[in-house]
Amino acid sequence: MKTLQYNATSTMLLKTFLYDKGISKKSLSAIKKNGALFVNGEHATVRKVLEQGDKVEVCLPNETPSINLEPFDITLNILYEDEWLIIVSKPAIINTAPSREHPHNSLVEAVLYHMNKNEEQTIPHIVTRLDRGTSGIVIFTKHQLLHHMMSQTVINKYYLAIVHGLVLRNSGNIIAPIARARHSIIEREVSDSGKFAHTYYELLDQKDTRSLLKLQLFTGRTHQIRVHLSHIGHTIVGDSLYGSDETAYSHQLLQCHVVEFEHPITKRKIYIEDDVHYHL
């Protein structure tokens, strides 16, 4: 059972103290039901009044995976792992999570296999997702409570993309609303009726008729980078949905290359760079 440890810094109810630490009402309810709370080594209720210097332990409940998940044994490229998080490099042509078209052999099932092998009593929760054809960094937490905490955390994500054409500007912002395409349930398009979307790009290299871009997302719309680059006339190489069919590549050359954020437990700055990356 995973345990959080804190020191009280002032007099307040234990419940209020835990809310201040980012523990949601839903999580606290689960802890009361299947976990445990201790103050100075003794069982405590949420109505316990803390005094400055009290030592608080929160024992998180164990978790059981959904019966729809089948642990999947592949070699994971683990970029970072501790008791709370696991960050991996996803290859292209694998789903982050099961879908109707690909119900198994997903990345989350591979992480579940890894955690089962290490006899962890919790399950992976997806923090960041990538399209099936996009490679790169994916963040998982090892408990629902941490997933809630990460949802409140600012995560800076940077991508690499190889695109068609020679991009003329060294950098630029693409600010264009994105909506579901009228003719498709999958495809998105730039539309005045869409939701605000903002992508920033930098030109890193050019060769022949292709450009290598570094991109940062300021919003998280479905297919945002692919739609925005198509919108400015530089479709991603290998992107058959927003570009053209190419036999040389079975997926778009788009990769989540760097993530950075503050660890919700240790408060350390985490900087992760994928050890494999695109280049011209």
Side-chain angles (χ1 to χ4, degrees):
M1 184 175 287
K2 294 183 183 296
T3 302
L4 295 168
Q5 296 185 347
Y6 301 109
N7 290 325
T9 56
S10 61
T11 300
M12 66 173 67
L13 283 176
L14 177 56
K15 177 170 64 174
T16 304
F17 177 79
L18 296 177
Y19 289 159
D20 288 347
K21 293 299 181 182
I23 297 178
S24 67
K25 291 182 179 180
K26 180 180 178 181
S27 295
L28 186 54
S29 178
I31 292 166
K32 288 160 59 178
K33 184 176 180 181
N34 294 309
L37 297 170
F38 294 89
V39 175
N40 301 326
E42 297 183 356
H43 276 283
T45 71
V46 294
R47 296 183 178 85
K48 169 75 175 178
V49 177
L50 299 179
E51 301 295 336
Q52 184 174 349
D54 282 349
K55 298 185 182 303
V56 177
E57 290 181 86
V58 182
C59 298
L60 305 181
N62 293 336
E63 297 178 311
T64 303
S66 164
I67 60 173
N68 296 319
L69 293 179
E70 294 182 0
F72 172 42
D73 183 13
I74 60 170
T75 300
L76 285 173
N77 182 5
I78 299 173
L79 305 174
Y80 176 90
E81 184 175 15
D82 62 18
E83 184 182 1
W84 307 105
L85 303 172
I86 178 168
I87 303 175
V88 302
S89 176
K90 182 182 94 66
I93 316 301
I94 180 174
N95 276 32
T96 302
S99 67
R100 184 173 58 184
E101 295 79 11
H102 304 94
H104 296 297
N105 296 343
S106 64
L107 189 65
V108 69
E109 291 171 310
V111 174
L112 176 61
Y113 179 91
H114 171 78
M115 290 176 62
N116 287 348
K117 185 175 67 174
N118 291 336
E119 299 182 346
E120 301 205 43
Q121 300 301 308
T122 53
I123 60 177
H125 299 266
I126 301 167
V127 177
T128 61
R129 294 174 182 261
L130 295 177
D131 296 339
R132 177 175 173 83
T134 300
S135 63
I137 301 171
V138 179
I139 303 172
F140 298 86
T141 65
K142 293 184 176 183
H143 198 280
Q144 175 61 41
L145 172 62
L146 269 293
H147 187 267
H148 170 75
M149 289 180 172
M150 285 296 291
S151 71
Q152 313 298 313
T153 299
V154 174
I155 304 173
N156 295 318
K157 296 179 286 184
Y158 301 90
Y159 292 74
L160 295 177
I162 298 177
V163 302
H164 290 288
L166 300 179
V167 177
L168 299 179
R169 298 178 59 187
N170 288 331
S171 63
N173 289 286
I174 309 171
I175 301 175
I178 293 176
R180 188 189 301 272
R182 286 159 290 182
H183 62 277
S184 172
I185 62 172
I186 298 174
E187 194 172 345
R188 267 56 176 178
E189 63 184 6
V190 169
S191 169
D192 290 339
S193 64
K195 294 181 179 179
F196 175 81
H198 178 192
T199 305
Y200 173 76
Y201 71 85
E202 293 180 19
L203 176 62
L204 298 182
D205 195 9
Q206 291 183 328
K207 186 176 181 180
D208 299 327
T209 60
R210 294 179 178 177
S211 300
L212 175 65
L213 301 179
K214 178 181 178 181
L215 306 111
Q216 182 179 5
L217 290 177
F218 290 95
T219 51
R221 309 305 175 202
T222 300
H223 298 175
Q224 178 174 317
I225 290 176
R226 298 165 68 186
V227 173
H228 271 176
L229 291 177
S230 175
H231 178 64
I232 65 170
H234 294 287
T235 55
I236 299 175
V237 173
D239 191 348
S240 60
L241 184 60
Y242 296 102
S244 58
D245 291 330
E246 299 177 58
T247 57
Y249 300 97
S250 59
H251 60 89
Q252 63 271 9
L253 300 189
L254 176 64
Q255 175 193 37
C256 182
H257 179 52
V258 167
V259 298
E260 54 184 8
F261 59 92
E262 183 183 87
H263 195 295
I265 301 300
T266 67
K267 303 304 179 183
R268 290 192 301 112
K269 182 177 180 180
I270 303 296
Y271 176 92
I272 304 295
E273 181 175 330
D274 202 342
D275 52 11
V276 179
H277 58 86
Y278 291 134
H279 56 83
L280 290 177

